Amino acid sequence: MKYVEKAEKCTYNGTIGEQGKPIDMQKSSEWKCPKDYPDYKITWARFLYYRDWLNDCPSCTDGVMLTDVRDAFFQRDPFLTAVERNQVHPLMVFEESPETNTEHWLTDWPVSACRTHKLGKNPMLCSGSVMGSREGILDYIDVMEEEFKYWMERENCRIDNRGDDQSIHNYLYYTNRFKNAVSIPHRQGPIHVVGYQAARIFENATKEAENAGVGISEIFIHDNNWKEWLPRKYGLINTNTGLIVNEDGTPSAQVHQVDRFGPLISKWENEMKKQGWPYNKDKDKESIGSSA
C-alpha cells in the first residue's frame, strides 16, 4: 500500500476559474497537490507516481494496469482475459459507451482551448483504465508527462477541470502520440467502463422510483431476487449471478465507474460481500446463466 502526502503549499497556480480569475490553489477545496510533485494537481501527479512505483519494483515485469479503485471492482483476472481474447498489446486504452464520444465537453472544450484542435466524433477513451506491458506503460506515462508540461506552461491550458487528464489522454491517442497503442472496443476486453450507461440508467430509475413512491435501491428488485438487480432490457448483467457482463455474455474482468449506478447496485454488492463473492471464479468457459 502506497500513501501520498499532501503538499504544504500547492505550486500549481494560474488555473482560471468560472469568473475568469485565477484560482487561489491554497484556499481551494477542489484542488490538491502532492508533496512530491507540488507543481502538479493530483489528477496529473498520479501518473508520475505510477512511474515511480514501477521503477521502485524492477521485478514487476509482467502486465501492468493503471486503474482507479474507488469506483471499480474485479470479477475475473484481466490479464488472463486479455490473453484469452488475444488482446495483449504494449499499450491498451479502453473505449467508453458508444453513447458518448470525444465531442463531449470533457474532451472537446479543454483540447480546443489548449491545442486549438478538434478531436471530432471518436470513441471516448477512459484515462482511469489503462493496461499494457511494463515498457508500454512507462512510455505512455512519459508522453503524458510531456503533455502535462505543455499545458502547465500556458495560461489557456490551465483549465478549471479535474478531469482534463482524460482530455489529454484522448488528444494524445487520436494524434498518434502514443507508441503501439491499441484501442479496445467497449465491452469487448478486460476492462468494462460502465459509467456513461450506468448514469443514464440511474437517472431513469430515480424518476421511476419517485413516480412509484418506492426506494430507488430496490426499484428493479422483485421478490428479493437480488441477483437480477437490473432489468433484462439493458443486457448488462447475468441474471443468474448479477455479474456485469461483456457483449458476449461473459463476466467483465474489471468493471469501472460502478458508482454511477448509485444505490441500484447496493443490494447486489452487499449480498455478494456477505457470501464472499461466490461467482468471481474463472468459469468463463462454463455456461452460468442468461445475460439477456
Side-chain angles (χ1 to χ4, degrees):
M1 180 72 72
K2 299 284 187 179
Y3 293 93
V4 174
E5 293 185 54
K6 178 185 173 183
E8 291 184 11
K9 183 177 182 180
C10 185
T11 53
Y12 179 92
N13 284 305
T15 296
I16 307 302
E18 292 181 0
Q19 298 179 357
K21 297 179 181 179
I23 295 172
D24 186 339
M25 302 292 278
Q26 311 313 313
K27 297 180 180 179
S28 172
S29 60
E30 291 287 314
W31 295 103
K32 307 295 180 187
C33 296
K35 181 178 179 180
D36 296 316
Y37 298 104
D39 290 342
Y40 289 80
K41 51 188 176 182
I42 189 64
T43 50
W44 289 7
R46 60 178 176 155
F47 292 90
L48 310 187
Y49 278 111
Y50 295 153
R51 182 174 59 198
D52 292 344
W53 296 332
L54 267 176
N55 286 332
D56 287 344
C57 182
S59 62
C60 299
T61 57
D62 292 333
V64 176
M65 172 185 283
L66 309 181
T67 181
D68 298 342
V69 293
R70 178 191 59 81
D71 59 351
F73 57 68
F74 293 87
Q75 301 182 134
R76 295 291 185 272
D77 181 337
F79 298 102
L80 178 60
T81 299
V83 171
E84 292 176 342
R85 293 174 176 269
N86 195 29
Q87 292 176 336
V88 179
H89 305 285
L91 180 62
M92 291 175 278
V93 295
F94 294 87
E95 296 178 9
E96 298 196 16
S97 168
E99 296 176 58
T100 187
N101 58 65
T102 51
E103 290 183 332
H104 189 279
W105 64 264
L106 179 59
T107 43
D108 181 69
W109 159 49
V111 172
S112 297
C114 179
R115 283 295 198 169
T116 61
H117 177 86
K118 301 297 285 187
L119 289 171
K121 194 173 184 178
N122 291 297
M124 177 72 82
L125 306 174
C126 180
S127 61
S129 303
V130 183
M131 289 178 66
S133 65
R134 178 189 176 92
E135 294 75 17
I137 291 295
L138 289 172
D139 285 343
Y140 163 78
I141 296 170
D142 287 344
V143 176
M144 289 287 282
E145 182 187 25
E146 180 182 2
E147 190 67 14
F148 291 154
K149 289 178 177 178
Y150 180 95
W151 288 49
M152 289 168 65
E153 292 167 357
R154 293 161 175 81
E155 184 176 292
N156 60 304
C157 300
R158 298 174 76 88
I159 296 167
D160 184 17
N161 180 355
R162 282 180 292 176
D164 58 4
D165 59 297
Q166 181 144 319
S167 315
I168 292 170
H169 176 80
N170 278 269
Y171 170 71
L172 294 174
Y173 177 79
Y174 287 115
T175 54
N176 300 311
R177 293 271 298 280
F178 294 138
K179 291 192 298 184
N180 302 311
V182 174
S183 177
I184 306 299
H186 182 63
R187 295 185 69 192
Q188 294 184 33
I191 296 178
H192 177 180
V193 186
V194 75
Y196 191 89
Q197 188 174 9
R200 305 292 83 74
I201 292 172
F202 174 66
E203 289 172 4
N204 293 332
T206 300
K207 295 175 183 176
E208 288 185 41
E210 289 175 353
N211 292 335
V214 298
I216 190 172
S217 62
E218 297 191 9
I219 182 65
F220 295 142
I221 296 176
H222 304 289
D223 300 322
N224 203 35
N225 183 14
W226 55 269
K227 296 176 185 177
E228 195 166 340
W229 59 275
L230 279 181
R232 298 188 178 206
K233 65 181 180 181
Y234 294 118
L236 274 177
I237 65 169
N238 181 305
T239 56
N240 288 344
T241 64
L243 294 175
I244 296 172
V245 296
N246 281 351
E247 280 191 353
D248 63 2
T250 59
S252 305
Q254 192 218 44
V255 187
H256 184 203
Q257 298 180 354
V258 292
D259 61 332
R260 308 301 201 279
F261 283 117
L264 293 174
I265 198 172
S266 297
K267 188 170 182 62
W268 177 78
E269 278 191 309
N270 291 336
E271 290 293 336
M272 290 288 279
K273 289 174 183 176
K274 287 180 187 177
Q275 299 185 29
W277 295 85
Y279 307 117
N280 283 27
K281 311 297 180 184
D282 288 321
K283 296 181 179 179
D284 288 11
K285 303 300 182 183
E286 300 176 24
S287 174
I288 54 174
S290 170
S291 61

